Amino acid sequence: MRTTLNFLFLIILFTLGLDVNGQDMFIGLAKKSITPSPPIWLTGYASRTTPATGVVHDLWAKAIYLESSPNEKAIIISTDLLGLSREVHQGIVQQLASTFGLSEKQIVINSSHTHSGPMIWPALSGIADYHLEDQRAVSTYTLGLINKLVELAGESINNKEKMTLSLGHGQVDIAINRRQLAASKIGQVLAGPIDHDVPIIQVKNRQGQVKGILVGYACHNTTVQGDNYLVNGDYAGFAQIEIEKKYPQAIAMFILGCAGDQNPEPRGSLALAEKHGKKLAETVHQVLQNPLKPMGNSLRYDAQLVTLDFQKTDINSYQKELVGEDIFKQRRAKLMLEAINKGWNISQYQYPIQALRIGKEFTLVALAGEVVVDYSLRIKREFAQQDIFVAGYSQEVMCYIPSKNVLQEGGYEAESSMIYYGWPGPFADTVEDKIMQGVYKLMKNVGIRRRP
Ligand SMILES: [Zn+2]
């Protein structure tokens, strides 16, 4: 019913020849190459044994700055990277605060989680042995990255002009629930939860040119696997290239959703990554051919830290792991014992969550870490009256964030991945409830009520 009314409203506006764009505000876009120079270690697969040898295409950081009044502003930054560490994220936030007066609540930084991007030292340093010169190369890259992202933000602010936003949605079937793949047989339908929604925000200037296109999707950028040693953005990188070819005056940004348990299918080659990317770009193009929903120009935002508990750990088990056969467990045990000996708290993690509401029409919920798709489906279900995209991989990517279901089922996302990421053990089974309590507070603070 609501859709029909919206459609009638658009027809009336078109008939009257009125502007169907949203309310304008200052919007600025910018992009900057963050392509590393090989030889440098790529990250995401423990099976790699040497640094990268070449580059397929550039990796990008891109920014959209929004300013509806001198006091109401926000910035979204996308990066073709596996994920930022807390230290790197905080470094950027501090500089954006001191240079441009932006607060942490106004800054959303998302990573595409490409597994063919440079290592952000020392994140995930437990997955291989790195020589000193390799460490120096990735540390130098990491330091340069912080400066580049701050410059990028400055450029987007400088580029601001009065523009409008509008919103649409598509669907694309690139992702499958990878937790079901192991159990499935040929001919069986893969039954795990998925979210094929493709939210699209279009930015238009006063001359009617498309200047920016933001695209979301919930699927790991792992089409290319650990036998690849060439820098590339996986399907999201190819999709952005294709969209910018079709809309040469626009900057295309990719925001990764709750892709923790979502893999592209099929996978295994660059050709397939390109194919998935073109499919996503074509979906975006189709949606942009039809009237979009105009967006308002108000901005509301909030950020919180949620205290997450790990399951109780046993010091004795780390002492055993340290002398065991498994190199990954040895490395984790060393980290844990060092932390215990220094008196650091390894029983909890302060987990960052954010919400950015643009106009009354759309809310971006941005959660840290490798969030599984259950969160996206639950948040959209519980706030069904609002158009929402739930991004994972935002601010920092420190480990997987399992739902209660995934935690009970066990497996990679719930348990074994925590060894590679260097955490004490799995999260306690309160993880989903605690995050949802935090999300309820965020939503209330941006003016959205939960459905009774
Ligand atoms: Zn991942």
Side-chain angles (χ1 to χ4, degrees):
M1 182 63 186
R2 204 170 165 181
T3 320
T4 318
L5 281 175
N6 281 344
F7 188 64
L8 283 172
F9 177 67
L10 286 170
I11 288 178
I12 292 164
L13 289 177
F14 275 126
T15 316
L16 295 172
L18 297 177
D19 187 5
V20 288
N21 294 325
Q23 297 168 296
D24 65 2
M25 65 174 139
F26 282 112
I27 301 175
L29 290 128
K31 61 191 259 191
K32 212 172 196 46
S33 165
I34 51 166
T35 316
S37 307
I40 190 166
W41 275 82
L42 303 181
T43 188
Y45 292 117
S47 57
R48 288 201 180 101
T49 51
T50 59
T53 53
V55 176
V56 177
H57 54 226
D58 274 325
L59 302 183
W60 294 95
K62 299 174 181 176
I64 179 166
Y65 171 74
L66 307 165
E67 181 186 302
S68 54
S69 78
N71 299 322
E72 246 179 78
K73 41 197 170 184
I75 188 166
I76 305 171
I77 296 175
S78 68
T79 63
D80 295 329
L81 294 168
L82 190 82
L84 300 184
S85 59
R86 169 162 292 192
E87 154 233 348
V88 169
H89 172 249
Q90 286 299 305
I92 296 162
V93 164
Q94 282 170 12
Q95 286 200 51
L96 294 187
S98 60
T99 317
F100 305 113
L102 289 166
S103 73
E104 191 163 352
K105 290 179 181 184
Q106 297 171 313
I107 306 162
V108 175
I109 309 181
N110 183 269
S111 296
S112 76
H113 201 50
T114 174
H115 281 46
S116 303
M119 192 172 185
I120 305 299
W121 186 260
L124 267 181
S125 55
I127 64 171
D129 272 321
Y130 300 97
H131 297 302
L132 207 57
E133 64 268 29
D134 296 327
Q135 292 180 30
R136 194 169 288 130
V138 283
S139 299
T140 307
Y141 176 84
T142 304
L143 195 60
L145 176 73
I146 297 175
N147 294 331
K148 279 188 181 170
L149 294 192
V150 173
E151 281 170 23
L152 169 78
E155 284 167 25
S156 72
I157 295 169
N158 284 339
N159 290 344
K160 72 178 183 185
E161 58 180 297
K162 284 280 176 92
M163 296 202 271
T164 55
L165 301 175
S166 50
L167 175 68
H169 286 270
Q171 290 265 323
V172 72
D173 61 351
I174 298 166
I176 56 147
N177 188 303
R178 70 187 193 185
R179 293 173 58 77
Q180 303 296 321
L181 193 60
S184 73
K185 296 200 176 82
I186 291 167
Q188 282 185 333
V189 178
L190 300 167
I194 48 163
D195 183 353
H196 283 170
D197 179 32
V198 182
I200 300 154
I201 294 179
Q202 176 183 253
V203 186
K204 267 191 178 176
N205 68 9
R206 284 181 159 173
Q207 291 72 46
Q209 293 165 326
V210 181
K211 301 295 281 184
I213 300 166
L214 273 75
V215 180
Y217 193 58
C219 180
H220 255 71
N221 269 290
T222 47
T223 318
V224 190
Q225 293 179 274
D227 55 351
N228 166 69
Y229 288 86
L230 302 174
V231 172
N232 72 87
D234 209 277
Y235 78 84
F238 283 107
Q240 291 171 77
I241 291 169
E242 286 303 312
I243 296 167
E244 289 181 358
K245 265 192 218 162
K246 278 204 171 79
Y247 301 86
Q249 287 163 325
I251 289 177
M253 292 173 67
F254 178 83
I255 308 291
L256 184 58
C258 295
D261 47 358
Q262 307 292 302
N263 255 0
E265 179 68 22
R267 56 194 286 253
S269 71
L270 268 168
L272 284 170
E274 187 169 5
K275 192 176 165 200
H276 292 322
K278 284 185 171 166
K279 195 173 181 183
L280 178 57
E282 183 52 33
T283 302
V284 172
H285 181 57
Q286 290 306 322
V287 171
L288 294 183
Q289 298 312 296
N290 296 307
L292 302 181
K293 188 178 185 181
M295 293 172 73
N297 61 3
S298 60
L299 294 173
R300 295 187 72 173
Y301 29 77
D302 193 28
Q304 312 250 342
L305 288 173
V306 177
T307 304
L308 300 182
D309 297 305
F310 295 108
Q311 289 175 22
K312 291 246 177 309
T313 52
D314 173 7
I315 293 177
N316 191 249
S317 68
Y318 298 136
Q319 289 160 338
K320 281 184 186 154
E321 281 183 359
L322 198 60
V323 294
E325 295 295 313
D326 185 327
I327 181 69
F328 301 108
K329 286 185 178 169
Q330 277 180 35
R331 289 176 185 143
R332 189 267 296 270
K334 182 170 175 283
L335 278 178
M336 292 306 114
L337 292 174
E338 280 172 359
I340 290 164
N341 289 339
K342 285 173 178 159
W344 294 341
N345 179 6
I346 58 162
S347 63
Q348 291 183 326
Y349 190 73
Q350 298 299 318
Y351 175 69
I353 61 172
Q354 284 186 233
L356 168 60
R357 190 178 186 195
I358 306 172
K360 294 226 182 317
E361 293 77 21
F362 179 75
T363 300
L364 175 67
V365 175
L367 308 176
E370 301 208 42
V371 185
V372 299
V373 79
D374 290 340
Y375 285 91
S376 170
L377 299 172
R378 179 170 173 184
I379 292 169
K380 287 189 203 176
R381 190 175 61 240
E382 293 192 14
F383 294 93
Q385 80 281 22
Q386 174 76 180
D387 199 327
I388 291 174
F389 182 64
V390 186
Y393 303 82
S394 300
Q395 330 313 359
E396 55 193 59
V397 177
M398 77 310 273
C399 63
Y400 281 85
I401 303 296
S403 60
K404 206 172 203 168
N405 254 347
V406 168
L407 207 53
Q408 274 164 7
E409 290 166 10
Y412 180 75
E413 293 84 359
E415 293 162 2
S416 51
S417 63
M418 298 301 259
I419 300 165
Y420 299 104
Y421 269 113
W423 291 104
F427 282 113
D429 64 6
T430 49
V431 59
E432 181 174 337
D433 288 344
K434 287 200 166 185
I435 292 174
M436 288 308 298
Q437 291 303 322
V439 169
Y440 297 154
K441 273 192 210 157
L442 287 181
M443 294 305 242
K444 195 169 164 239
N445 293 346
V446 300
I448 304 167
R449 285 182 184 282
R450 216 171 129 203
R451 268 205 161 165

